[in-house]
Amino acid sequence: MREDKHVAQATEDHHHQRQQNLATSLSSKLAKTWITTKIYIFVLFIFLLCASLSWIFTFVLGESRFQVTSVFTRNTNKSATTTTNIPKIIIKIPLNCTLLNNNTTQTCPSNYPTKFEPAISSSETCPDYFRWIHRDFKVWQKTGITRDTLEKARPHAHFRVVIKSGRLYVHQYEKAFQTRDVFTIWGILQLLRMYPGQIPDLELLFLCHDKPAIWKRDFKKDTWPPPPLFHYCGHRDAYDIVFPDWSFWGWPELNIKEWNKLSVALKEGNKRVKWEDRIPYAYWKGNPNVSPVRGELMRCNFSDKYDPMVRLYVQDWRSEIEKGFRGSNLEDQCTHRYKIYVEGNAWSVSEKYILSCDSMTLLVKPEYYDFFIRSMVPMKHYWPIRRNNKCRDLKFAVEWGNNNTEKAQVIGRQGSDYMMQNLEMKYVYDYMLYVLQGYGKLMKLDVTVPENATEVCSETMACPITDGGLIRQCMDDSLVMSPSIKAACNLPKPYGDNELKRILKKQESVKRRVRKWTDEYWNVRSGK
Ligand SMILES: *[C@@H]1O[C@H](CO)[C@@H](O)[C@H](O)[C@H]1NC(C)=O
Ligand SMILES: *[C@@H]1O[C@H](CO)[C@@H](O)[C@H](O)[C@H]1NC(C)=O
Ligand SMILES: *[C@@H]1O[C@H](CO)[C@@H](O)[C@H](O)[C@H]1NC(C)=O
Ligand SMILES: *[C@@H]1O[C@H](CO)[C@@H](O)[C@H](O)[C@H]1NC(C)=O
Ligand SMILES: *[C@@H]1O[C@H](CO)[C@@H](O)[C@H](O)[C@H]1NC(C)=O
Ligand SMILES: *[C@@H]1O[C@H](CO)[C@@H](O)[C@H](O)[C@H]1NC(C)=O
Ligand SMILES: *[C@@H]1O[C@H](CO)[C@@H](O)[C@H](O)[C@H]1NC(C)=O
């Protein structure tokens, strides 16, 4: 860190040197009269302005966050009147895998920062999907969450997380599929490293299966309020609290990298094949056996009357694993102009990868939603496909896209931009932060660490894994190294009831229009 500061300083000195050299040579030529001297002063002033602007662009607006801090630190040092709690040096908290006293049990460091004031306050508003957070908690607004209410969720949960004074404790009830639970807990730990002191004390219960579990029909007056259960997806008939899924921190079993790295790889991959040069068909690859809607989709592959315009492939994970995933690199799958998203058993992790391809996404109407899809707009970010008319809708959409390549490209690009901008890891953490803060406010119970819970930190999770495998790799890649020097984005106002109705109505009318086009096309074809 100090080195960065020196680099910044040295570069600035270099600028000054250049300015002075230029000044000397300029002056020998121009300083003949008073007027030219004035011109020279003016020129020098402009030059200094440019130099400092370029310096600001390089270091303040540049990509490296650490350099940003070094600049900031120096500025505040100069006017050190109101900056008492702004750290002078950015804190780095690398994994400390040192074992104490030859004890083979990894312990959690006691010197984690417990408070960190982000030096840069946020001027940006969070993406629209944050506006749903408030609605997800609405059912508990009046009653709060009591011990009784919380414990009703216990039979559905894979684990309990207790956060107390910034430390995290886990009581695991049931092992989850693969490493879903591991990376979900890892994600919350990274949030704690990112925003020390900002996560309130709380107890939460987490479900790691595919489907939500707290169905509205089961909770009427006598069983009110429903228990709060954290889960990866929601449903209009369920009360589960939507939280980012494990794949943002990696899915090692399927060789899927954590989202920071993967989104960059996808961005690079998109540059490899230009949209016009992509195969003008709709692509889908996955496991068709997890849901009926996927099974039906597979039947769109063939028609003896017309070209169905789809390319569907069965993903055989077992053989992929044996082949070392050579055929399943996500960033190599952006080769078609259109990509189909269809749910699996519930929401599918594949959604963000499909939407990131710069291809127009053909979105088969989902039943379940994850935290970010709720603010996506049909015909802006994706093309809507009916569940019960998939094959015909798909063929029409592809043909339309091939007839209107520019418009199809725009939808594709807007979908990907939504992913790349609104789903940056910083926003994912900000979303988690606001969810946990909102949840913490509802706690009407004494947050206690249960007797069988163990303290968990990045060290206890990562350090014992020394096999050089992908699990540790995903952890190392997604480790939050420093508290965020930038504050969380500003939480936008929650949707008002009428506003939300208006938005949903508008979306419905867009979908209706698409249905009309499609039906007209097929009516003409069938000779009506
Ligand atoms: C600026 O920082 C330097 C080194 O950290 C310190 O010695 C100096 O007192 C600071 N100046 C002010 C005004 O805080
Ligand atoms: C790492 O942990 C060990 C044991 O807890 C401690 O002695 C050491 O100071 C820590 N190192 C750092 C850099 O915090
Ligand atoms: C740890 O164990 C090693 C070998 O067993 C020994 O040489 C060393 O002194 C021990 N260190 C401590 C701090 O007990
Ligand atoms: C190692 O440390 C843990 C936690 O501090 C303690 O419970 C355990 O008894 C220690 N084991 C040994 C062999 O010292
Ligand atoms: C679908 O069609 C493509 C191209 O014709 C073919 O390669 C693929 O194997 C088919 N998929 C299935 C599941 O039949
Ligand atoms: C695409 O253009 C062809 C040729 O003009 C036309 O026959 C077809 O109906 C068009 N399809 C759509 C979906 O617009
Ligand atoms: C803690 O674990 C012990 C032994 O496994 C068990 O008897 C006890 O009921 C557990 N306590 C709780 C609160 O789950």
Side-chain angles (χ1 to χ4, degrees):
M1 187 46 236
R2 283 193 194 150
E3 257 159 39
D4 285 340
K5 206 162 162 178
H6 284 315
V7 172
Q9 185 64 61
T11 315
E12 194 193 34
D13 288 349
H14 184 64
H15 273 296
H16 283 307
Q17 193 83 50
R18 285 222 322 263
Q19 286 151 22
Q20 265 154 22
N21 288 349
L22 196 84
T24 331
S25 71
L26 267 179
S27 71
S28 68
K29 283 178 195 156
L30 293 177
K32 285 178 189 160
T33 69
W34 179 229
I35 289 169
T36 47
T37 311
K38 271 199 217 160
I39 291 171
Y40 155 62
I41 290 169
F42 181 68
V43 168
L44 181 68
F45 172 72
I46 295 289
F47 186 87
L48 278 172
L49 192 71
C50 291
S52 54
L53 272 181
S54 80
W55 184 81
I56 285 170
F57 273 111
T58 320
F59 293 101
V60 179
L61 305 176
E63 294 216 329
S64 167
R65 283 159 189 224
F66 294 161
Q67 281 167 342
V68 174
T69 340
S70 70
V71 170
F72 195 87
T73 308
R74 209 158 15 143
N75 287 350
T76 54
N77 184 308
K78 268 179 206 157
S79 57
T81 45
T82 56
T83 56
T84 40
N85 52 8
I86 291 178
K88 293 281 188 290
I89 304 170
I90 182 124
I91 301 167
K92 283 210 174 183
I93 29 176
L95 282 187
N96 180 357
C97 291
T98 323
L99 292 171
L100 265 182
N101 308 330
N102 281 355
N103 189 328
T104 51
T105 321
Q106 186 75 47
T107 51
C108 292
S110 52
N111 59 350
Y112 266 158
T114 51
K115 194 142 189 64
F116 186 89
E117 208 67 50
I120 302 176
S121 62
S122 183
S123 54
E124 54 181 356
T125 305
C126 313
D128 268 356
Y129 61 80
F130 282 65
R131 302 183 67 186
W132 291 93
I133 294 176
H134 185 77
R135 293 195 82 82
D136 284 353
F137 288 131
K138 224 172 162 181
V139 278
W140 299 286
Q141 219 69 66
K142 281 214 187 85
T143 56
I145 294 167
T146 60
R147 173 68 58 197
D148 281 352
T149 307
L150 177 71
E151 297 304 328
K152 277 191 290 178
R154 157 77 185 81
H156 303 285
H158 282 86
F159 58 83
R160 179 191 303 256
V161 162
V162 178
I163 296 176
K164 199 160 187 193
S165 309
R167 302 181 87 87
L168 186 146
Y169 307 83
V170 175
H171 189 186
Q172 183 123 19
Y173 304 121
E174 202 189 322
K175 181 70 195 120
F177 182 59
Q178 296 180 336
T179 45
R180 286 181 179 200
D181 46 358
V182 172
F183 281 97
T184 301
I185 294 166
W186 177 262
I188 301 174
L189 286 170
Q190 301 320 303
L191 176 70
L192 287 165
R193 291 166 72 93
M194 183 123 172
Y195 291 119
Q198 296 196 44
I199 291 108
D201 287 359
L202 54 84
E203 280 186 46
L204 64 84
L205 291 157
F206 210 108
L207 166 71
C208 299
H209 287 318
D210 286 346
K211 290 202 167 142
I214 310 300
W215 295 100
K216 288 186 182 174
R217 58 171 182 266
D218 300 332
F219 297 95
K220 295 277 146 53
K221 276 210 172 67
D222 49 332
T223 44
W224 195 260
L229 182 66
F230 280 69
H231 183 48
Y232 306 123
C233 71
H235 188 283
R236 64 175 181 280
D237 298 329
Y239 288 124
D240 297 54
I241 300 164
V242 189
F243 206 69
D245 68 57
W246 70 93
S247 67
F248 286 93
W249 297 274
W251 191 354
E253 289 83 1
L254 297 192
N255 196 31
I256 292 177
K257 292 187 272 275
E258 52 92 35
W259 178 236
N260 246 337
K261 235 182 172 179
L262 183 51
S263 58
V264 171
L266 284 163
K267 226 187 264 178
E268 288 306 306
N270 283 341
K271 290 186 194 143
R272 280 206 294 273
V273 193
K274 282 213 304 275
W275 196 89
E276 295 85 354
D277 301 334
R278 294 186 183 186
I279 303 160
Y281 283 86
Y283 174 92
W284 186 79
K285 184 173 185 178
N287 179 358
N289 303 321
V290 291
S291 68
V293 64
R294 284 188 172 183
E296 287 157 24
L297 175 71
M298 295 317 281
R299 291 206 285 278
C300 301
N301 213 18
F302 175 77
S303 162
D304 53 5
K305 296 197 182 69
Y306 53 83
D307 182 352
M309 307 303 277
V310 294
R311 293 284 184 265
L312 310 173
Y313 303 96
V314 173
Q315 175 91 281
D316 181 356
W317 285 115
R318 208 161 299 164
S319 93
E320 297 281 4
I321 289 166
E322 276 162 21
K323 283 188 288 184
F325 301 100
R326 269 190 304 276
S328 62
N329 245 348
L330 289 163
E331 58 270 29
D332 300 333
Q333 290 183 24
C334 299
T335 50
H336 292 65
R337 288 184 183 175
Y338 314 96
K339 295 202 67 170
I340 300 167
Y341 171 74
V342 56
E343 286 181 337
N345 201 12
W347 103 107
S348 165
V349 166
S350 64
E351 186 185 33
K352 58 181 171 304
Y353 312 127
I354 288 170
L355 276 156
S356 300
C357 259
D358 261 359
S359 308
M360 184 167 89
T361 299
L362 311 178
L363 194 97
V364 180
K365 190 178 181 344
E367 260 196 63
Y368 301 88
Y369 52 81
D370 55 29
F371 71 103
F372 63 83
I373 199 186
R374 282 187 281 184
S375 291
M376 298 192 83
V377 179
M379 297 309 277
K380 183 175 181 197
H381 302 121
Y382 64 88
W383 181 290
I385 301 287
R386 282 170 284 189
R387 274 174 105 84
N388 56 4
N389 201 38
K390 284 182 285 299
C391 304
R392 290 179 157 217
D393 281 10
L394 287 170
K395 174 171 167 62
F396 175 77
V398 173
E399 226 181 277
W400 180 91
N402 289 338
N403 285 358
N404 301 277
T405 50
E406 254 157 51
K407 287 180 185 159
Q409 253 182 100
V410 169
I411 298 175
R413 193 165 331 112
Q414 286 174 167
S416 292
D417 285 351
Y418 184 97
M419 290 293 119
M420 296 299 165
Q421 289 159 16
N422 295 348
L423 216 52
E424 268 179 32
M425 235 16 232
K426 168 78 165 48
Y427 284 136
V428 177
Y429 286 120
D430 288 359
Y431 186 88
M432 293 159 67
L433 178 72
Y434 283 125
V435 168
L436 294 187
Q437 286 182 344
Y439 182 76
K441 283 199 197 106
L442 297 172
M443 291 274 97
K444 284 239 169 63
L445 47 84
D446 270 338
V447 173
T448 42
V449 180
E451 63 173 307
N452 291 347
T454 42
E455 185 178 2
V456 174
C457 56
S458 302
E459 278 78 7
T460 59
M461 291 190 84
C463 296
I465 306 175
T466 53
D467 59 359
L470 280 173
I471 295 181
R472 177 65 192 264
Q473 185 67 52
C474 286
M475 288 178 172
D476 286 341
D477 288 346
S478 61
L479 182 75
V480 168
M481 201 48 121
S482 310
S484 178
I485 55 149
K486 209 171 144 194
C489 54
N490 298 316
L491 191 61
K493 269 210 330 279
Y495 288 116
D497 287 342
N498 288 332
E499 186 188 7
L500 191 62
K501 248 183 231 153
R502 222 176 29 248
I503 290 170
L504 295 178
K505 211 165 145 192
K506 202 167 144 215
Q507 295 201 357
E508 205 40 57
S509 93
V510 171
K511 289 184 193 165
R512 222 176 13 247
R513 205 169 65 226
V514 177
R515 286 205 292 272
K516 197 157 157 265
W517 289 346
T518 312
D519 292 344
E520 276 166 10
Y521 165 91
W522 282 104
N523 285 344
V524 169
R525 279 188 70 111
S526 61
K528 273 185 203 158

